[in-house]
Amino acid sequence: MRGYVIKRVAQAIGVLWAAYTVSFLVLDFLPGDPVSAMAGAGADSGQVDPAQLAALRHQYGFDKPVLAQYADYLGKAVRGDFGDAVSTGRPVTSTLADALPQTLQLTGAALLLAVVLGGGLAILATYTSQRWLRQLLLSLPPLGVSVPTFWTGLLLVETFSFRLHWFPAFGNDGLRGLVLPAVTLAIPTGAQVAQVLAKSLLTALDQAYVETARAKGAGRWRVHLRHALRNASLPALTVVGLLVGQLIAGSVVVETVFSRDGLGRVTAAAVTAQDIPLVQGVVVFGALIFVVTNLVVDLVYPLLDPRIVVASGRKAGFA
């Protein structure tokens, strides 16, 4: 088990390093002059005092070779220092720390709704003996995946805010203000969970161990939840870990639609202002959340299926 954990932690560190490196290279190869944009001169650096441009390049390290910049920024990032945001002058870590709780609240609520609703839909669809009801329930996830998130958000605002006045349309107004954004973000995520779990359950219900449990007198509900669901949940758990990144990306759209303060709006503003330190900080923070979530998923795997640790140990032994 210790070797399994060490291997997963090492992979998580590697993903973080790769995310930082790719974001650095992409931002470095973007066309245009970021220093001129920071000085408010767009692409025409002739409108700004050359001494001011030189001071900005020196302040942000843009006067150094690319490899030296990378080594300098990476060393600071390891210590949690991403510099100052150009648009506000505040430290990047402070800006992200202020916005992160609202985004985590939104994505956490959306993930909980997605797992509960998507899992419940999959269990009900595979448990019912009514063929027409099964087909109806199984047709809902593809519809949920195909509907654009911004359209869902606008429809919910129109219906439940402007017409019924049940929930506020905009802002971070406590729990009531969280309902519509969380539902908007949860619909496509829950639909994907339902698709994967339903397919895995249908496959598991055809296995020999399920027939053995039935032959021993186990009821349908016991067979479904205790025997089939435990094995079928592994692929769905993998999908949930991967969907965390999708939730964080979707929060950009949802927070914009509902005018919520959070990491999504910070990202949109940073990209618009070409605020390179802030954009890079957002990328690394997003990767960190994604990596931590998938690390937790990897550590939960052995609890559901201890054979995973054994198989991992055998592969390491052969290596």
Side-chain angles (χ1 to χ4, degrees), residues 200-219:
S200 299
L201 275 171
L202 292 174
T203 302
L205 289 170
D206 289 333
Q207 299 301 313
Y209 66 87
V210 172
E211 295 297 332
T212 302
R214 290 170 179 164
K216 291 181 178 180

Side-chain angles (χ1 to χ4, degrees), residues 129-286:
S129 57
Q130 301 294 326
R131 183 178 179 85
W132 67 269
L133 181 57
R134 173 178 293 185
Q135 294 300 325
L136 175 63
L137 294 176
L138 291 179
S139 66
L140 294 178
L143 179 63
V145 173
S146 62
V147 176
T149 303
F150 73 89
W151 184 85
T152 303
L154 293 175
L155 181 63
L156 292 178
V157 168
E158 172 67 21
T159 303
F160 295 101
S161 296
F162 297 154
R163 293 183 181 272
L164 300 177
H165 305 288
W166 289 359
F167 304 101
F170 308 109
N172 301 62
D173 187 16
L175 182 60
R176 292 180 68 248
L178 184 64
V179 173
L180 294 184
V183 171
T184 302
L185 201 55
I187 287 176
T189 306
Q192 295 180 63
V193 172
Q195 282 182 312
V196 174
L197 184 58
K199 184 176 181 180
S200 299
L201 275 171
L202 292 174
T203 302
L205 289 170
D206 289 333
Q207 299 301 313
Y209 66 87
V210 172
E211 295 297 332
T212 302
R214 290 170 179 164
K216 291 181 178 180
R220 287 187 64 215
W221 194 247
R222 180 183 177 86
V223 169
H224 211 82
L225 294 184
R226 182 169 181 178
H227 296 280
L229 182 60
R230 180 172 181 177
N231 291 295
S233 62
L234 288 176
L237 186 61
T238 302
V239 169
V240 168
L242 296 175
L243 289 178
V244 170
Q246 178 178 308
L247 286 172
I248 296 173
S251 68
V252 177
V253 177
V254 172
E255 289 176 356
T256 301
V257 170
F258 291 93
S259 297
R260 289 180 57 89
D261 295 328
L263 200 58
R265 296 191 70 185
V266 169
T267 304
V271 171
T272 302
Q274 298 185 21
D275 196 332
I276 293 178
L278 188 53
V279 171
Q280 195 161 27
V282 168
V283 170
V284 174
F285 264 70

